[in-house]
Amino acid sequence: MPGTRHEPAAAAPARVTTVRGWRDLRALEPALDVLYRAAGIPVTARLAWWRAALMADRDSVPLLLALRGPGRTITAAVLVALRDQDGECRITSVRPHTDDVWDVAAVSAGARHTVLAGLIRYAARLSCPWRLILTGLRDEDEATWLAGQLPDGGVVPAAPVPGIGFGQDEVPLGPGIRSGLDRSGHRIRQHALTETIRFEREPGRLADMRDEIEAVHLARDHDAGRVSDLDDGAGVAFWRSVYDGHAARGELEVATLRLDGHLAAYVVALPDSPVYRVFDGRFAPKWRLYSPGRRLEVAVVEHARSRSFRDLVCMGSVAPEKLVARTQDDPRWAVVAARDARPALPAGGGSVVSMAAAP
């Protein structure tokens, strides 16, 4: 959580529960969804996104550390992935070295500290050599604090994620964008094409559009001379799982630009209020003369601004110089740590670890 201060609080008994594997996690999803909304956790730090990522990675196991509240509620939770690599346990964020946000969902600073202390204790109890790599932290102070609690811990700055902040004024587009839109609009009129831009969120219609969108995604990547993420089995499994899973939950929006009914460009987004998160976007190479990608990007920016989103963020490895606008950066840090020897403490065999209320 950006701006969090890590000062010791009065200790109080608390129990951090560890839950491993999808079967047990599924039962907690309703309580986690309530916590995510209350804490304002970004979509990439939530269970639904992790499921999409880890279902495509059969060597990974999800681990949730949760602080229980009254009844069936959860007051703090954090997810990590466990991977066994060459006899070493890897504790990672869901997709290491991407710009996915890694965050703790918590209703208070004390609950947040408790569950982070639970993660530290979990690592200390492992009976095998381990390596921790958590990428996507947004708060440098928290990253520094966490690294300081771990053996051989360190903080590594990562490239910030470019974005657009919406204020009262019109979004300032990059150099040449307006003139490019004018030229492409002239070509569309000159060739008597019908341009249609639509935004779709209805799950059934999104399902019907998926194959067409995939085809454009692949065509654009291959036309650019690069291997597509959809050429890889794990890559296409992840992409489809994100698309299908979030569409079914009502959390996906697809913008399309059609020329005479043909899909010329698309943008897949996750409206994650107050942030509009662009997950994927491509244009169909056969329509490049009309700059459909640029035209749709500008329409998406205006759409998000008009719907009172605070920011628009481009997920993935979008080159900053290719954005139609850029007014801010979302920072990222990584925490790394490792222990090669076995711990002095006996390995914890239970599913519950008792912790103090603050580290």
Side-chain angles (χ1 to χ4, degrees):
M1 180 183 296
T4 301
R5 292 180 61 84
H6 300 283
E7 298 175 354
R15 295 179 74 81
V16 174
T17 303
T18 61
V19 181
R20 176 172 173 155
W22 292 116
R23 185 180 65 181
D24 293 334
L25 277 172
R26 200 168 290 120
L28 298 178
E29 191 159 10
L32 286 171
D33 283 340
V34 172
L35 176 62
Y36 293 149
R37 288 194 295 271
I41 294 300
V43 66
T44 57
R46 299 181 208 155
L47 186 61
W49 181 270
W50 280 61
R51 183 185 294 112
L54 295 187
M55 287 299 187
D57 182 359
R58 297 184 181 274
D59 295 328
S60 299
V61 177
L63 178 75
L64 176 80
L65 292 97
L67 182 63
R68 301 282 190 160
R72 296 179 179 272
T73 64
I74 299 174
T75 59
V78 67
L79 282 161
V80 293
L82 303 179
R83 296 174 169 90
D84 185 3
Q85 188 167 334
D86 299 325
E88 179 182 74
C89 179
R90 295 288 177 96
I91 306 169
T92 73
S93 42
V94 63
R95 297 193 305 154
H97 310 299
T98 70
D99 58 25
D100 289 2
V101 173
W102 184 85
D103 207 347
V104 178
V107 298
S108 68
R112 185 182 186 89
H113 293 165
T114 299
V115 81
L116 280 172
L119 175 60
I120 295 162
R121 186 67 172 172
Y122 178 86
R125 286 181 177 271
L126 288 174
S127 60
C128 58
W130 56 263
R131 190 167 305 276
L132 177 141
I133 306 170
L134 298 176
T135 59
L137 283 79
R138 298 176 294 168
D139 181 357
E140 185 179 13
D141 289 341
E142 179 165 275
T144 301
W145 174 84
L146 181 58
Q149 311 305 307
L150 295 163
D152 292 326
V155 178
V156 182
V161 179
I164 301 169
F166 299 124
Q168 298 287 334
D169 300 328
E170 185 176 335
V171 175
L173 299 181
I177 299 296
R178 288 290 182 197
S179 58
L181 294 176
D182 291 341
R183 287 193 300 272
S184 60
H186 175 72
R187 293 190 192 107
I188 290 171
R189 292 188 297 273
Q190 183 182 38
H191 296 150
L193 298 174
T194 300
E195 178 186 43
T196 307
I197 294 176
R198 288 184 178 164
F199 293 84
E200 183 60 70
R201 293 191 70 168
E202 199 282 316
R205 287 194 285 271
L206 289 174
D208 291 341
M209 295 162 58
R210 196 192 75 178
D211 289 349
E212 188 180 25
I213 290 169
E214 271 194 50
V216 170
H217 186 124
L218 283 164
R220 173 54 184 151
D221 286 350
H222 294 164
D223 177 74
R226 60 178 177 251
V227 175
S228 176
D229 55 320
L230 302 190
D231 288 327
D232 175 73
V236 73
F238 170 66
W239 190 93
R240 289 175 179 172
S241 188
V242 168
Y243 188 100
D244 295 344
H246 288 280
R249 292 168 61 91
E251 297 172 346
L252 195 82
E253 182 168 74
V254 173
T256 57
L257 185 151
R258 294 182 181 274
L259 294 172
D260 280 359
H262 301 281
L263 182 62
Y266 73 86
V267 169
V268 178
L270 295 152
D272 186 21
S273 186
V275 181
Y276 195 83
R277 302 185 188 277
V278 174
F279 168 62
D280 179 32
R282 300 287 195 280
F283 71 86
K286 65 180 290 186
W287 299 102
R288 63 162 39 88
L289 177 64
Y290 308 100
S291 303
R294 276 286 190 244
R295 297 181 69 81
L296 186 58
E297 287 171 38
V298 172
V300 166
V301 170
E302 180 54 32
H303 172 75
R305 188 186 70 82
S306 67
R307 292 179 60 203
S308 301
F309 283 91
R310 185 191 65 203
D311 307 298
L312 181 147
V313 171
C314 292
M315 303 165 66
S317 56
V318 178
E321 67 273 9
K322 293 185 178 180
L323 299 177
V324 296
R326 179 183 184 180
T327 65
Q328 62 188 31
D329 291 316
D330 193 12
R332 292 287 191 274
W333 283 270
V335 171
V336 295
R339 190 197 60 212
D340 295 327
R342 290 179 179 271
L345 292 172
S351 62
V352 178
V353 180
S354 184
M355 299 299 305

